[in-house]
Amino acid sequence: MSTRSGLWLLFGALLLGSLGVAGGLWLGRSQPSGNRLETQLRSLQDQVATGQTSPAQQQQQLELLLALGRRAEASALVQQLADRAPERWELRLLLAELRRDLGDRSGAIAALRRLLTQQPDQIEALQLMALLLQEQGQGAAARQQLQSSLERLSKPKPRAEAIGVGLLLAHLLDRQGSPGQAEAVLIQLTTAFPGDQRPLLAKALLLQQRGQLAKAQAALAQARTLQPGQNRDLLDRVASAWGLDALKGPSPRSTARPRTFPTEPNSP
């Protein structure tokens, strides 16, 4: 793994850990497949056929389909559930995840557009939409959507949600080969949220990959002074990568695995 990729994975893990941008919702609840799961699923499907299932049983049916890897059937069920409960944005997000897994990117984008029409600044949906647009070669559209969201969340005064959107925009800009613009976004976030260490950590990663080690070390040290104990694992891992043992401290290790954006062809 390159230094660039490894450090931005750490940044992605910071975003994930801070915002819960896991995506997938029930996708992470997989269980070992087997005859017992198949039996449970058949029993639930028999009840569905007679119209006797409750919402809790429908969710169980969905989880079983996902655990058994039957994504197409799960997608059809989620579509039904989402249509019945349009206020449950997480169902639209799950539907988009499933459609992407099935190779239906246009269907995934359509599901996300419907979600974002109702909640234009919903961070999980914005993250997945940006990724899908980037995969489709529509990096400019992904960038514009995040910029518009950040502007909405920054006026008349910055709201807490602006941090997540700004970090996501900076990540995308860097992956698109615009580290200067990414740094400008992070500086904006640092100014707006002086007590939050996340923009400083992201800035340190960006500066380090550009070879500006002294500035990166200063940003990392400043991040360490804010919110003592928060995100210690990530700070320690960055310090280790740079040989800065003096900045390290004991902490449990994180296993978060965030989404990452594909790099555009002209990206360095």
Side-chain angles (χ1 to χ4, degrees), residues 68-156:
L68 291 166
R70 292 160 67 166
R71 293 292 202 260
E73 293 174 73
S75 179
L77 178 56
V78 173
Q79 177 73 70
Q80 295 175 22
L81 296 175
D83 289 343
R84 292 174 192 165
E87 74 284 357
R88 294 185 60 189
W89 62 265
E90 68 273 12
L91 290 171
R92 291 289 170 195
L93 181 62
L94 178 56
L95 179 60
E97 290 267 14
L98 287 168
R99 286 178 172 173
R100 178 173 178 261
D101 286 349
L102 293 168
D104 181 12
R105 286 195 179 97
S106 61
I109 289 174
L112 288 172
R113 289 196 194 284
R114 184 165 177 178
L115 192 167
L116 289 168
T117 296
Q118 298 175 317
Q119 300 188 47
D121 302 312
Q122 212 292 318
I123 185 66
E124 289 90 343
L126 285 172
Q127 184 189 23
L128 183 54
M129 178 66 91
L131 176 61
L132 284 163
L133 291 174
Q134 183 83 345
E135 290 175 341
Q136 295 282 74
Q138 301 178 52
R143 185 168 60 249
Q144 180 58 52
Q145 184 162 47
L146 292 176
Q147 288 171 336
S148 297
S149 178
L150 182 58
E151 289 175 6
R152 282 193 300 272
L153 293 170
S154 299
K155 298 175 182 178

Side-chain angles (χ1 to χ4, degrees), residues 12-220:
L14 173 63
L15 179 67
L16 178 61
S18 301
L19 297 170
V21 184
L25 300 161
W26 293 298
L27 292 177
R29 300 186 185 179
S30 297
Q31 307 172 46
S33 60
N35 293 335
R36 181 176 60 83
L37 296 182
E38 290 283 2
T39 300
Q40 291 177 355
L41 179 59
R42 282 196 298 271
S43 175
L44 284 171
Q45 289 175 328
D46 288 342
Q47 294 177 53
V48 170
T50 61
Q52 297 178 353
T53 52
S54 65
Q57 289 173 314
Q58 288 178 321
Q59 180 169 317
Q60 184 183 6
Q61 181 187 1
L62 174 59
E63 292 176 357
L64 288 169
L65 287 170
L66 292 173
L68 291 166
R70 292 160 67 166
R71 293 292 202 260
E73 293 174 73
S75 179
L77 178 56
V78 173
Q79 177 73 70
Q80 295 175 22
L81 296 175
D83 289 343
R84 292 174 192 165
E87 74 284 357
R88 294 185 60 189
W89 62 265
E90 68 273 12
L91 290 171
R92 291 289 170 195
L93 181 62
L94 178 56
L95 179 60
E97 290 267 14
L98 287 168
R99 286 178 172 173
R100 178 173 178 261
D101 286 349
L102 293 168
D104 181 12
R105 286 195 179 97
S106 61
I109 289 174
L112 288 172
R113 289 196 194 284
R114 184 165 177 178
L115 192 167
L116 289 168
T117 296
Q118 298 175 317
Q119 300 188 47
D121 302 312
Q122 212 292 318
I123 185 66
E124 289 90 343
L126 285 172
Q127 184 189 23
L128 183 54
M129 178 66 91
L131 176 61
L132 284 163
L133 291 174
Q134 183 83 345
E135 290 175 341
Q136 295 282 74
Q138 301 178 52
R143 185 168 60 249
Q144 180 58 52
Q145 184 162 47
L146 292 176
Q147 288 171 336
S148 297
S149 178
L150 182 58
E151 289 175 6
R152 282 193 300 272
L153 293 170
S154 299
K155 298 175 182 178
K157 68 177 184 178
R159 301 201 301 252
E161 295 90 338
I163 298 179
V165 175
L167 290 173
L168 189 55
L169 175 59
H171 188 182
L172 180 64
L173 286 167
D174 180 68
R175 300 307 294 170
Q176 291 182 346
S178 300
Q181 293 181 45
E183 184 178 357
V185 171
L186 295 174
I187 291 173
Q188 175 186 341
L189 292 177
T190 301
T191 301
F193 302 96
D196 197 298
Q197 67 181 186
R198 289 171 291 172
L200 283 168
L201 177 54
K203 181 181 177 182
L205 298 177
L206 186 65
L207 290 168
Q208 194 277 344
Q209 70 184 27
R210 292 166 66 181
Q212 297 176 304
L213 188 57
K215 291 183 179 180
Q217 290 174 340
L220 183 60

